[in-house]
Amino acid sequence: DGGGMAALRGGDATAAGLRLGYVCGVLPTARLAAFERVLFRATRGNMFMRSATIDQLVRDPKTEELQHKAVFLIFFSGQQSFARMAKIADAFGAHRYNYPAKYSKRAALLSQALTRLDELSHVIDHVVARKEALLSSLAARHGAWRTHLARQKGLYNALNLWNYDLTRKVLIAEAWCPASMIEETQEALRRATSRSGAHVPSILNVLETDEAPPTYFRVNKVTSAFQEIIDTYGVPRYGEINPAAFTVITFPFLFGVMFGDVGHGSMVTAFALYLCVNETKMLALSARLRDDIITMAVRGRYMLLLMGIFSIYCGVLYNDVFGLMADFFGTSWTETPPRHGGPRELKAHGMVYPFGIDPGWHRSANELSFGNSYKMKLSIVLGVAQMLLGLGISLVNALAARNALDVWCDFVPQAIFMLSIFGYLV
């Protein structure tokens, strides 16, 4: 029954000298109690049954499912009792097995089963070892195969973009290339011809076209993160001003205005410096882990560095260190409480705090109203200045493209609405 035992075809053997027949086999454990009750009633108690639960799951030869089963052995007398018990066992789904009456045959059968199990065990161990060795050798070459397949896929994807000239039997490709990189492209084609051993060199011709060229911006490891932010909102058309040049300064500066704190800014700067100093190791780590948060931090490491520096700068302006007012240069106001609730006095006539907000405001009665009004005014000024910068860029782009519709229907209404709502506040 799936455990290395032979199929039963008979069970009418008679024990020597005792004239007792027996039936042995296995059946599902859940049916064992009912099977025993039916046998007891069918033989009126003239039988002796022993059973034991099999610890391991046994595969059923009919359904090929693993089940919990029990082995049973029944002794009885009479040929008619054997036929009756065989029918009952078959009705309960039991699988009967041959069990020799002589001890020598039972020992030989057990030895044969153990030998077969040992051989199967050796075969399984050999197959497992062979499979592990094969998989280990495949795993060692998996990286090289993946790289090779990626290169082949990229090569065929590029070749699919080419056109085949049946007359001249050549491949023709039309592509855009920056004018400053024409010579580099020709040199790359010469190197490719030399490496491939081709007898006919590749020819590069510059074509005149009326189509609008695609936008290409030369970026480096510092400006690439800012360019990705601009591309998220939209890619400028060919010939337009690239806002990323202004975003390199305005984005981290506005972050510093909102997050101005010397302590917190120092932590951001230290973290960004660590990423910049160990950029090779961190880039390899992000490529291996493929985690979005780690990749975003590593690729934007120089942006984080500028954000931390501007945060420290604005924190010095605000005199904030971890949310607490600092006194870097000494307050210009007297420390003695004012008489009759009046204002504090300056230590010297015309004395001004060297840099930022005087820490004396921290202990004044009108600290909250002054701080809120100061930061609100600063936010409005910087916000309007940034929006005016964007409007100015759109005006220059429209004038360069000689697009009067964008000037009168886009720039002018936006400028009127913005200046009429926020302009007087500045």
Side-chain angles (χ1 to χ4, degrees):
D1 188 28
M5 292 182 276
L8 173 71
R9 289 294 178 268
D12 55 346
T14 304
L18 296 180
R19 298 175 180 261
L20 291 178
Y22 61 88
V23 174
C24 63
V26 296
L27 81 164
T29 307
R31 303 178 183 178
L32 182 61
F35 176 66
E36 187 173 0
R37 287 197 300 270
V38 171
L39 286 177
F40 185 84
R41 294 173 182 174
T43 60
R44 298 181 180 180
N46 295 321
M47 62 93 182
F48 178 76
M49 177 177 175
R50 299 288 293 177
S51 62
T53 304
I54 302 175
D55 296 334
Q56 299 177 352
L57 292 175
V58 180
R59 187 176 301 277
D60 191 279
K62 293 183 179 180
T63 62
E64 296 295 332
E65 296 180 357
L66 294 176
Q67 299 178 353
H68 291 281
K69 292 193 174 185
V71 60
F72 63 88
L73 179 61
I74 307 170
F75 292 96
F76 57 89
S77 61
Q79 185 65 26
Q80 295 181 353
S81 298
F82 167 73
R84 190 181 305 140
M85 291 186 179
K87 291 180 180 180
I88 295 174
D90 295 340
F92 275 86
H95 297 277
R96 295 173 288 145
Y97 297 95
N98 282 323
Y99 189 74
K102 295 183 179 181
Y103 175 77
S104 58
K105 293 183 179 181
R106 294 198 300 268
L109 185 61
L110 177 61
S111 177
Q112 182 181 359
L114 293 177
T115 302
R116 186 179 177 186
L117 287 175
D118 186 61
E119 292 175 354
L120 291 176
S121 178
H122 283 295
V123 171
I124 292 174
D125 293 340
H126 179 73
V127 171
V128 170
R130 176 62 179 170
K131 182 174 65 175
E132 291 179 354
L134 181 60
L135 292 178
S136 299
S137 62
L138 293 178
R141 291 178 286 178
H142 178 264
W145 287 350
R146 187 167 185 173
T147 303
H148 179 74
L149 290 176
R151 290 178 179 176
Q152 292 295 322
K153 183 178 179 181
L155 176 62
Y156 280 100
N157 286 338
L159 290 176
N160 289 334
L161 302 176
W162 294 52
N163 297 322
Y164 182 68
D165 191 341
L166 295 176
T167 305
R168 292 175 290 180
K169 295 183 179 180
V170 294
L171 290 172
I172 301 175
E174 295 181 358
W176 294 99
C177 176
S180 59
M181 300 179 65
I182 294 295
E183 295 183 0
E184 296 181 11
T185 305
Q186 292 177 339
E187 180 62 26
L189 290 175
R190 284 192 291 267
R191 289 197 304 267
T193 302
S194 176
R195 291 178 181 178
S196 62
H199 300 288
V200 180
S202 301
I203 301 174
L204 175 65
N205 294 327
V206 179
L207 304 178
E208 298 294 335
T209 180
D210 296 332
E211 297 181 7
T215 305
Y216 171 75
F217 296 116
R218 190 188 298 271
V219 297
N220 52 36
K221 59 184 180 181
V222 178
T223 60
S224 60
F226 297 97
Q227 187 62 54
E228 290 180 2
I229 294 178
I230 298 300
D231 293 342
T232 302
Y233 294 94
V235 179
R237 291 190 293 267
Y238 180 78
E240 291 185 345
I241 298 177
N242 185 14
F246 305 96
T247 309
V248 173
I249 297 300
T250 58
F251 184 85
F253 175 70
L254 292 177
F255 173 83
V257 171
M258 296 183 293
F259 197 68
D261 191 285
V262 177
H264 297 157
S266 300
M267 296 175 64
V268 175
T269 304
F271 175 69
L273 280 175
Y274 176 80
L275 295 179
C276 294
V277 172
N278 302 278
E279 61 180 13
T280 304
K281 181 173 66 175
M282 298 308 297
L283 286 172
L285 177 64
S286 64
R288 185 173 67 255
L289 297 180
R290 297 182 181 180
D291 184 81
D292 294 338
I293 297 179
I294 296 178
T295 302
M296 180 176 59
V298 174
R299 295 179 64 180
R301 57 193 180 278
Y302 291 100
M303 181 190 296
L304 288 175
L305 180 62
L306 291 176
M307 291 164 62
I309 292 175
F310 278 107
S311 180
I312 295 174
Y313 172 77
C314 294
V316 175
L317 284 178
Y318 300 155
N319 267 330
D320 276 345
V321 179
F322 291 112
L324 303 176
M325 180 66 72
D327 190 354
F328 296 109
F329 307 103
T331 179
S332 302
W333 300 88
T334 58
E335 299 292 338
T336 57
R339 296 185 298 273
H340 309 293
R344 292 183 178 180
E345 299 178 354
L346 289 171
K347 293 181 179 179
H349 180 70
M351 186 176 181
V352 180
Y353 192 73
F355 190 81
I357 300 177
D358 195 304
W361 288 102
H362 181 57
R363 293 176 291 273
S364 62
N366 58 342
E367 174 192 3
L368 188 61
S369 60
F370 169 77
N372 289 343
S373 61
Y374 173 80
K375 294 181 179 179
M376 180 62 70
K377 182 70 173 180
L378 181 63
S379 302
I380 293 175
V381 171
L382 294 177
V384 172
Q386 185 187 25
M387 289 188 288
L388 286 176
L389 175 62
L391 285 177
I393 293 175
S394 66
L395 176 62
V396 173
N397 292 333
L399 293 176
R402 297 180 181 180
N403 192 338
L405 186 64
D406 286 347
V407 174
W408 295 107
C409 298
D410 191 9
F411 169 75
V412 173
Q414 289 182 4
I416 292 175
F417 278 111
M418 191 191 69
L419 293 177
S420 62
I421 296 175
F422 299 104
Y424 74 96
L425 296 175
V426 178

